[in-house]
Amino acid sequence: YGAGKVGLAFTDKVAAHAKLGLDYLALSSDASRADDSELNIMYGIGGEFKLNQKLSIEANYTVLGDVGFVDVSSINAGVNYKF
């Protein structure tokens, strides 16, 4: 599955983005004998700060949906280098 992403540059160094798409989550647990899977709408927001023309840092928050009794989301941070 996948997601579309749109962005908005506030300055030449600072940008924000939003994403929306579909994902498939599966849960399997021997302890509770639970098996479940769900097709979910995922969405998220994030931002990027360019340190220079080749190097930037970014952070993202994404809600992936729920499967069974578990809500799944992620917070990510990273460094980008453009060759």
Side-chain angles (χ1 to χ4, degrees), residues 3-4 6-8 16 20 22-23 27 29 34 39 43-44 46 57 59 61-62 65-66 69 76 79:
V6 295
L8 174 64
L20 178 67
L22 293 174
D23 66 10
L27 171 70
S29 171
L39 180 64
Y43 55 93
I57 56 174
Y61 175 70
T62 305
D66 62 335
F69 54 88
N76 302 302
V79 176

Side-chain angles (χ1 to χ4, degrees), residues 12-13 48-57 80-82:
D12 61 336
K13 292 186 178 245
E48 180 178 19
F49 180 75
K50 293 181 182 176
L51 300 170
N52 57 44
Q53 288 197 353
K54 294 191 176 239
L55 191 63
S56 67
I57 56 174
N80 300 315
Y81 183 80
K82 295 181 181 176

Side-chain angles (χ1 to χ4, degrees), residues 27-36 67-70:
L27 171 70
S28 178
S29 171
D30 291 336
S32 64
R33 297 181 187 220
D35 288 319
D36 198 3
V67 59
F69 54 88
V70 179

